[in-house]
Amino acid sequence: MRNILCFLLVLIGTQSYTQTEGKITYEEKIDIHRRMTGERAQFKDRVPQFRTVVMELYFDDDEAVYRKSETVEEEAPPPQAGGGRGRFRMRGGGSGVVYQNYAEDRRVEQREFMDKKFLIRGEPERRAWKLTGESMQVGQYLCQKATFQDSTDNIVAWFTPQIAVPLGPAQYGQLPGLVLHVDINEGERTYTAQTIELDEIDTSVLKEPTKGKEVTQEEFQTLVREKVKEMRANGFGGRGRGGRN
């Protein structure tokens, strides 16, 4: 279990635990090879195994915004031997902009798909989290473990009640404390807090996204599935999970 949480040993805390304003930086890591199954598995040596994006969560007493860092580039390691490529950097990917007004219990997510922007409105997603009772001291924060499982994902989240906000990376929150780490399907995708800055922020960053076609979550997922199906029929690869964070 210590190996699971060693990622958090360099967290930075700058004020008291009761502070309800700040900025959290997360590393979002996707195992691309895990998604290359069937005929696509033969191409694993041509692409890097992991894609990493740096995301930022800004919050105050009433609102929060989760977005890609504007100052840190995404970096992917070189592929395995024989891939013919060296280290490279690339932009893009990662989650879209997620805005939450938890005083009003509403959420707006801006997603981009096929060069088009979409707005998905609704309430914050609520999962039937199971609190396991497991805990671990990580730096200055006492973390507790919560799990959730549905038909496609097995999710493990570690949160700290010492920062009493119901937030976390992407749509993973609604727990009695800030979520510092999320693991989906044993490493298929992870979100890891890198720094915690509990201090006053420029509240102008807490903007609700307004650009994009308004759709429901179901409509967006249907659009993604249909486009992926079309691409596969035309001989392109893909995976019908573009609607997830």
Side-chain angles (χ1 to χ4, degrees):
M1 185 181 299
R2 291 190 177 276
N3 290 334
I4 297 175
L5 290 179
C6 63
F7 50 75
L8 288 170
L9 293 178
V10 244
L11 289 179
I12 300 173
T14 60
Q15 292 218 357
S16 68
Y17 298 137
T18 57
Q19 177 74 29
T20 54
E21 188 171 349
K23 170 189 172 184
I24 318 298
T25 302
Y26 291 92
E27 178 188 80
E28 181 176 329
K29 192 172 184 179
I30 304 167
D31 189 335
I32 300 173
H33 286 190
R34 288 274 296 274
R35 299 185 169 195
M36 300 178 69
T37 59
E39 294 181 356
R40 288 176 292 157
Q42 62 183 308
F43 301 112
K44 287 183 178 180
D45 62 346
R46 301 185 185 181
V47 297
Q49 181 175 358
F50 296 102
R51 187 179 70 186
T52 300
V53 187
V54 177
M55 305 292 292
E56 297 170 339
L57 173 67
Y58 294 87
F59 66 94
D60 66 7
D61 290 328
D62 301 314
E63 301 172 284
V65 166
Y66 182 74
R67 68 182 191 185
K68 190 160 77 74
S69 172
E70 297 180 350
T71 59
V72 181
E73 291 183 321
E74 178 182 356
E75 183 172 346
Q80 297 180 9
R85 294 184 184 178
R87 179 175 293 274
F88 65 93
R89 292 178 181 267
M90 58 184 179
R91 291 185 179 272
S95 302
V97 177
V98 181
Y99 167 86
Q100 287 191 65
N101 187 315
Y102 40 95
E104 300 177 1
D105 199 33
R106 62 187 179 89
R107 177 179 184 271
V108 181
E109 183 176 3
Q110 183 184 67
R111 299 299 303 269
E112 187 168 341
F113 181 68
M114 303 299 291
D115 297 324
K116 295 182 180 179
K117 286 184 170 63
F118 298 87
L119 288 177
I120 305 169
R121 300 182 183 273
E123 297 180 353
E125 186 169 355
R126 291 175 173 82
R127 294 180 172 83
W129 291 106
K130 177 182 177 182
L131 303 184
T132 67
E134 296 180 59
S135 63
M136 178 175 288
Q137 187 75 29
V138 182
Q140 66 188 105
Y141 301 105
L142 180 64
C143 295
Q144 297 184 18
K145 183 179 180 181
T147 62
F148 174 80
Q149 187 169 7
D150 60 17
S151 60
T152 59
D153 293 323
N154 182 22
I155 305 172
V156 175
W158 289 87
F159 67 96
T160 176
Q162 291 173 301
I163 304 177
V165 292
L167 300 172
Q171 80 273 33
Y172 302 103
Q174 302 300 311
L175 281 161
L178 178 70
V179 176
L180 300 184
H181 181 68
V182 177
D183 185 309
I184 303 171
N185 299 331
E186 298 183 345
E188 181 179 328
R189 183 189 289 260
T190 59
Y191 302 81
T192 303
Q194 301 295 303
T195 61
I196 296 177
E197 302 173 54
L198 302 181
D199 206 345
E200 291 185 4
I201 62 171
D202 179 357
T203 55
S204 65
V205 302
L206 301 176
K207 292 182 178 179
E208 178 177 339
T210 58
K211 295 181 179 180
K213 179 181 178 181
E214 290 198 21
V215 294
T216 65
Q217 183 68 41
E218 292 74 19
E219 289 172 338
F220 182 73
Q221 290 178 341
T222 298
L223 172 68
V224 172
R225 284 194 297 267
E226 290 178 349
K227 193 62 181 179
V228 169
K229 183 178 180 181
E230 177 185 333
M231 293 172 66
R232 286 176 173 171
N234 292 331
F236 297 96
R239 180 174 181 177
R241 300 181 70 176
R244 295 180 178 270
N245 282 323

